[in-house]
């Protein structure tokens, strides 16, 4: 087995008593002594701190970086205002999803955050397909996420200027004298901040944040249950090269300017397939939220059946939602069975358990969009 990578916070995780596990080529904390359920509940009630330094942080430079990136994603990057962040998707020629990412307009360049498991292939993809004169710089920086309804309370003490930002804004600040790049975003459905910091200052910043009474260290276990309750996709599970943005319920990530009738229609890999699905609505399956009863979690890979006993789909993410108090899942089912309120059945240990197609997110989002 190849040697696992470590983030700049590895030694701190061990010091805090984390249980470390392999994840996306890194040794990462899955939970701390508090335990997954309490870590989840603490994030929903106060503020959790997550190490996401395994994610890829990149700078895209060149004569026209927004125009260049639009050749690879269906998002409106040219129309993204400076200091704002946008969700985007790398697509392939068949309309499948290669990865999802965040894009920041940083003025004369773009700042990208890509998934850890896809980092190497994304960098290769960019370098192979960007127009001539554009280059990718791979950054060696820490990335930590402060999430929860009291995240702004903490930041108000340490970096009040960052609290003036609204959801999906990005800026450069200082926290305890440490220069940081901060976006008001996250992966939990809560208000929060994602903080990029020099690798050699990551531990000092993390210790400073953990010293605040509202903040607890949170591992990958609670990160997964939080994002699942928030109805957010995990690449390699809920979206991959076999799913199109339309099937995945991510039609909002296709910029209006990039659709037929828009200012810059198409021009990205798989545009013909994706835009046809947007207009004709003839895709055969759709990602849905599923809400169960009882306590038995319905895990990824669980088969889904209709009322007549026909196998009709599969769960792509699932577990028990501590804040919802019920099993929650995401999965793909035929469009005809994707209506909210439809009862389907998940086969768990030989039993068919009812699950109801439900709107996502399963919990009300707490994103800060201004007063």
């Amino acid at each position: 087995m190849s040697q696992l990578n470590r983030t700049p916070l590895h030694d701190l995780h061990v010091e805090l008593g984390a249980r470390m596990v392999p994840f996306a080529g890194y040794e990462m904390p899955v939970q701390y002594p508090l335990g997954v359920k309490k870590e989840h509940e603490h994030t929903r009630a106060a503020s959790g701190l997550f190490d996401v330094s395994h994610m890829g942080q990149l700078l895209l430079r060149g004569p026209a970086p927004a125009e260049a990136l639009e050749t690879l994603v269906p998002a409106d990057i040219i129309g993204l205002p400076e200091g704002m962040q946008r969700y985007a998707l790398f697509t392939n020629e068949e309309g499948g999803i290669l990865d999802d990412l965040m894009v920041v307009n940083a003025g004369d360049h773009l700042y990208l955050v890509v998934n850890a498991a896809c980092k190497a292939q994304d960098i290769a993809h960019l370098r192979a397909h960007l127009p001539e004169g554009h280059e990718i710089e791979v950054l060696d920086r820490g990335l930590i996420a402060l999430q929860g309804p009291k995240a702004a309370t903490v930041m108000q003490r340490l970096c009040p200027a960052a609290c003036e930002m609204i959801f999906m804004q990005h800026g450069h600040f200082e926290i305890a004298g440490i220069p940081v790049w901060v976006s008001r975003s996250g992966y939990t459905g809560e208000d929060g901040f994602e903080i990029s910091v020099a690798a050699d200052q990551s531990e000092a910043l993390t210790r400073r944040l953990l010293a605040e009474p509202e903040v607890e260290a949170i591992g990958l276990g609670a990160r997964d249950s939080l994002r699942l309750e928030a109805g957010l996709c995990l690449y390699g599970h809920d979206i991959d090269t076999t799913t199109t943005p339309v099937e995945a319920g991510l039609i909002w990530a296709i910029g209006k300017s990039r659709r037929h009738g828009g200012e810059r229609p198409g021009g990205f890999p798989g545009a013909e397939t994706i835009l046809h699905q947007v207009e004709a609505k003839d895709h055969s399956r759709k990602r849905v939220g599923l809400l169960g009863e009882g306590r038995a979690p319905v895990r990824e890979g669980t088969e889904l059946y209709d009322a007549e006993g026909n196998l009709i789909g599969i769960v792509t993410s699932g577990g028990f939602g501590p804040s919802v108090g019920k099993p929650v899942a995401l999965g793909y089912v035929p469009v005809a069975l994707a209506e909210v309120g439809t009862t389907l059945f998940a086969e768990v240990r030989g039993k068919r358990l009812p699950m109801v197609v439900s709107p996502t997110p399963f919990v009300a989002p707490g994103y800060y969009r201004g007063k």
Side-chain angles (χ1 to χ4, degrees), residues 56-73 75-86 88 90 101-114 126 130-131 134-139 170 172 181:
Q57 298 182 70
L58 318 172
L59 298 183
L60 193 170
R61 291 194 175 94
E67 288 87 340
L69 190 59
E70 280 200 1
T71 66
L72 298 177
V73 303
D76 175 6
I77 307 299
I78 291 172
L80 180 62
E82 186 171 346
M84 291 297 293
Q85 175 173 273
R86 182 160 286 160
F90 286 129
L101 66 152
M102 286 294 187
V103 182
V104 173
N105 178 350
D108 62 352
H109 64 279
L110 300 177
Y111 166 56
L112 315 181
V113 180
V114 301
L126 284 159
L130 284 172
H134 292 83
E135 60 179 39
I136 289 292
E137 179 186 351
V138 182
L139 303 175
H170 184 275
H172 291 197
W181 308 345

Side-chain angles (χ1 to χ4, degrees), residues 17 67 95 175 237 254 312 351 358:
E67 288 87 340
I175 299 176
H237 301 257
I254 304 165
I312 51 91
K351 292 183 179 178
S358 303

Side-chain angles (χ1 to χ4, degrees), residues 9 12 49 144 146 154 157-159 175-178 201-215:
L9 298 177
L12 179 58
L49 192 66
I144 52 179
L146 183 70
V154 173
R157 286 185 211 123
L158 302 179
C159 184
I175 299 176
I178 299 171
Q201 294 183 296
S202 299
E203 185 176 321
L205 178 63
T206 301
R207 287 185 186 277
R208 182 66 192 83
L209 289 164
L210 286 172
E212 296 300 308
E214 297 87 353
V215 183

Side-chain angles (χ1 to χ4, degrees), residues 23-333:
F23 182 80
Y26 282 77
E27 199 175 348
M28 296 293 290
V30 69
Q31 68 178 79
Y32 297 87
L34 197 60
V36 174
K37 183 172 183 286
K38 286 184 178 176
E39 289 174 29
H40 176 113
E41 291 168 344
H42 185 88
T43 305
R44 287 269 185 257
S47 185
L49 192 66
F50 302 77
D51 180 10
V52 287
S53 305
H54 59 312
M55 307 282 278
Q57 298 182 70
L58 318 172
L59 298 183
L60 193 170
R61 291 194 175 94
E67 288 87 340
L69 190 59
E70 280 200 1
T71 66
L72 298 177
V73 303
D76 175 6
I77 307 299
I78 291 172
L80 180 62
E82 186 171 346
M84 291 297 293
Q85 175 173 273
R86 182 160 286 160
Y87 178 82
L89 303 163
F90 286 129
T91 51
N92 64 17
E93 294 298 340
E94 293 74 45
I97 300 170
L98 293 170
D99 195 13
D100 58 348
L101 66 152
M102 286 294 187
V103 182
V104 173
N105 178 350
D108 62 352
H109 64 279
L110 300 177
Y111 166 56
L112 315 181
V113 180
V114 301
N115 282 305
C118 303
K119 186 162 43 175
Q121 73 182 40
D122 288 349
I123 293 164
H125 180 66
L126 284 159
R127 287 179 171 157
H129 297 291
L130 284 172
E132 195 174 337
H134 292 83
E135 60 179 39
I136 289 292
E137 179 186 351
V138 182
L139 303 175
D140 179 22
R141 292 175 68 85
L143 190 64
I144 52 179
L146 183 70
Q147 299 283 294
K150 294 186 179 174
T153 305
V154 173
M155 286 293 273
Q156 189 65 47
R157 286 185 211 123
L158 302 179
C159 184
C163 295
E164 295 173 16
M165 295 193 299
I166 60 169
F167 183 56
M168 297 297 261
Q169 271 191 303
H170 184 275
H172 291 197
F173 305 96
E174 278 194 4
I175 299 176
I178 299 171
V180 290
W181 308 345
V182 182
S183 65
R184 195 155 193 172
S185 60
Y187 197 46
T188 60
E190 299 292 339
D191 183 23
F193 304 86
E194 294 196 321
I195 306 165
S196 175
V197 56
D200 61 0
Q201 294 183 296
S202 299
E203 185 176 321
L205 178 63
T206 301
R207 287 185 186 277
R208 182 66 192 83
L209 289 164
L210 286 172
E212 296 300 308
E214 297 87 353
V215 183
E216 288 282 353
I218 310 295
L220 290 174
R223 179 172 161 84
D224 195 54
S225 57
L226 289 158
R227 72 92 194 166
L228 179 55
E229 287 185 341
L232 299 170
C233 293
L234 178 60
Y235 189 82
H237 301 257
D238 312 299
I239 50 177
D240 56 27
T241 54
T242 70
T243 55
T244 69
V246 179
E247 291 171 335
L250 299 173
I251 195 167
W252 54 268
I254 304 165
K256 289 182 180 175
S257 62
R258 311 300 307 281
R259 304 182 195 185
H260 291 143
E263 298 159 25
R264 301 180 305 284
F268 53 88
E272 191 174 326
T273 297
I274 293 167
L275 296 182
H276 173 76
Q277 288 187 352
V278 169
E279 290 164 12
K281 296 181 174 59
D282 66 348
H283 50 292
S284 60
R285 62 183 191 141
K286 185 179 177 185
R287 179 176 65 90
V288 296
L290 297 162
L291 206 53
E293 294 297 331
R295 307 288 295 183
V298 177
R299 303 289 185 194
E300 176 183 353
T302 300
E303 293 179 338
L304 297 170
Y305 294 83
D306 65 12
E308 284 71 51
N310 302 303
L311 176 63
I312 51 91
I314 195 163
V315 169
T316 53
S317 283
F320 188 82
S323 304
V324 178
K326 293 181 178 182
V328 293
L330 302 175
Y332 284 83
V333 302

